Every structure is written in structure tokens, then in C-alpha cells.
Amino acid sequence: LEITEIYNFFAEVLMGSLHTKAVSILNYDSLKKEYIVQFDNGFTFAGRKNFPKDSSFRGEYSRQSKIMVVEEIKSVAYKQYKEIIDLLISVDVAAVAPLNVKNEALGVIFLGPKESGDMYNDEDLRTLETIASQAAMAIKNAQLYEGAKDFSLTLQREVERQTKELKQANEDLSGAFFGVGIELGYRDSTLAVVAPIANSPAEKAGVKAGDLI
């Protein structure tokens, strides 16, 4: 499956199972140290695509695969995580589910409020944890496939480029030797004389068919 199809599939599963108003999937960019929106259905981020990483927050929740209910964290650790909590509340994120595979943090899922207006309960969180785990594995596999496909395309282009350069080099080389009266070919992968042209400088110099270049 293409990774966009995976995003769509799990978003539909989450919205159908948890009756949430919005779902967004973000990948973690370890170089930029930020989360980047890859898929969104229902949120109004006002064009925002990047969310900064909070090291302590990520260490406490994301790396440990803990589901984060924003209002619950606000009630017990608002001062500690004020900046990130205020940011999540400002874009109407009600819960955050880490996307982890073993020790690798791939990203997070943002969930909006439930359609009923209720808080996410324990059963909802267990369901979310299961879906997030399956989504993380699917996304990781899709990323590996995309990486392999990109590598294959890069390799193909490089082979085509080198083949073109080799063909041009052979044409240039053939032209150079034709000027002295030699028809060229290959024998056991080695450039060799097919035949000297009659009355050419090569024939007069004693060049014979089969001579290796």
C-alpha cells in the first residue's frame, strides 16, 4: 500500500471507532527535531505543518508509548509542560497517541474532541493504543518500501547515465580509431581490431585483425 492510503485507512478506523471529530498524523523528523503533519482530516491548523518537539514531554510520554489526554495532563502537570499543552489546546487537540516501533519514534496521532463532547475513557484509550501500534508498524513498512523504491529509481537513473556516457565514449573512441583506418569491436570484453581498412595508415603500420587495443 502507498503510505497515503495507510494514513487514510487508519484515520477512517479511528473516526469510526472513537467517534472523534478530527484526526491528524504527524511524522517525527529527527534532523529538524520537530513533528511534521503528513495527513489531516478535520483539524484547522491554519496552514501550520510543523510542531516543535518538547524534549521532556516527548521523553515522558512519546518514547514510552503513553496515550496523552490533554486535559488530564493539564490538570496534573500544566506548569511542567505549559508551552506544549497550550499549543495543543490552541489547535483543539484532545488526545495524542505516539507512533513507536520498538525503540524508534515515528511520529504521533492527534485526535480532536469526541463528537459527543465526552472525555476519552479507558476503553477508548485501549482501542487507541491498539490502533496506534498497528498504524506504526504499517507506516514503518511503507516507509521502508518507499525508501527501497526511491533507491531503485536512483540506481536506475545512475545506470542509464553511465550507459549513456559509455556509449558516447565508445563512439568517440571508434571515431578516433576510424581516422587511422581501424574497425573496432570487442573480444572477451576487451577492445580489439576487427579489421584494418585497406590502404589506411593502420594497414600500412602492420595492424592486423584481432590485435587488442
Side-chain angles (χ1 to χ4, degrees), residues 73-85:
I73 299 173
K74 181 180 178 181
S75 66
V76 298
Y78 180 65
K79 290 183 179 180
Q80 185 177 357
Y81 304 121
K82 181 180 184 301
E83 184 175 352
I84 189 68
I85 290 172

Side-chain angles (χ1 to χ4, degrees), residues 34-96:
E34 62 185 10
Y35 292 92
I36 302 174
V37 176
Q38 303 294 319
F39 174 88
D40 176 58
N41 185 348
F43 280 105
T44 53
F45 293 140
R48 182 176 192 139
K49 291 292 183 181
N50 301 352
F51 288 80
K53 178 198 75 171
D54 182 293
S55 298
S56 58
F57 187 82
R58 181 168 176 263
E60 176 67 21
Y61 291 94
S62 294
R63 288 181 182 173
Q64 298 181 41
S65 297
K66 290 183 180 179
I67 305 296
M68 298 160 270
V69 178
V70 176
E71 284 299 326
E72 290 182 359
I73 299 173
K74 181 180 178 181
S75 66
V76 298
Y78 180 65
K79 290 183 179 180
Q80 185 177 357
Y81 304 121
K82 181 180 184 301
E83 184 175 352
I84 189 68
I85 290 172
D86 285 347
L87 175 59
L88 293 173
I89 291 174
S90 72
V91 293
D92 210 22
V93 173
V96 181

Side-chain angles (χ1 to χ4, degrees), residues 11 13 28 32 53 88 94 108 110 113 129 136 145 167 176 192 196 201 206 209:
V13 170
Y28 179 64
K32 296 181 179 180
K53 178 198 75 171
L88 293 173
V108 293
F110 284 172
E129 184 176 0
Y145 169 74
K167 181 180 179 182

Side-chain angles (χ1 to χ4, degrees), residues 14-15 18-23 41-43 92 111-117 120:
L14 286 165
M15 297 183 87
L18 302 177
H19 305 289
T20 180
K21 293 181 178 180
V23 174
N41 185 348
F43 280 105
D92 210 22
L111 293 184
K114 295 184 69 171
E115 293 174 350
S116 64
Y120 288 99

Side-chain angles (χ1 to χ4, degrees), residues 4-18:
T4 52
E5 294 176 1
I6 291 172
Y7 293 150
N8 273 302
F9 172 77
F10 281 102
E12 289 177 4
V13 170
L14 286 165
M15 297 183 87
S17 301
L18 302 177

Side-chain angles (χ1 to χ4, degrees), residues 73-182:
I73 299 173
K74 181 180 178 181
S75 66
V76 298
Y78 180 65
K79 290 183 179 180
Q80 185 177 357
Y81 304 121
K82 181 180 184 301
E83 184 175 352
I84 189 68
I85 290 172
D86 285 347
L87 175 59
L88 293 173
I89 291 174
S90 72
V91 293
D92 210 22
V93 173
V96 181
L99 293 168
N100 295 345
V101 175
K102 296 182 179 179
N103 295 323
E104 182 181 2
L106 301 179
V108 293
I109 297 173
F110 284 172
L111 293 184
K114 295 184 69 171
E115 293 174 350
S116 64
D118 297 333
M119 291 273 289
Y120 288 99
N121 57 38
D122 290 342
E123 183 178 349
D124 292 332
L125 299 183
R126 285 193 294 270
T127 300
L128 176 55
E129 184 176 0
T130 299
I131 296 173
S133 176
Q134 294 173 346
M137 287 298 300
I139 290 169
K140 180 63 177 177
N141 289 336
Q143 289 175 343
L144 291 173
Y145 169 74
E146 290 289 336
K149 187 168 67 173
D150 289 344
F151 175 77
S152 178
L153 288 173
T154 300
L155 182 61
Q156 181 180 346
R157 292 191 190 103
E158 181 63 18
V159 169
E160 290 173 353
R161 182 186 67 80
Q162 291 190 14
T163 300
K164 183 178 180 180
E165 290 179 357
L166 181 60
K167 181 180 179 182
Q168 183 62 51
N170 284 339
E171 289 175 355
D172 293 343
L173 188 61
S174 296
F177 280 100
F178 185 78
V180 296
I182 299 175

Side-chain angles (χ1 to χ4, degrees), residues 173 177 180 182-187 189-194 207-208 210-213:
L173 188 61
F177 280 100
V180 296
I182 299 175
E183 294 181 22
L184 296 176
Y186 282 93
R187 189 172 70 180
S189 301
T190 302
L191 196 62
V193 176
V194 174
V207 175
K208 298 178 182 179
D211 286 350
L212 302 179
I213 302 301

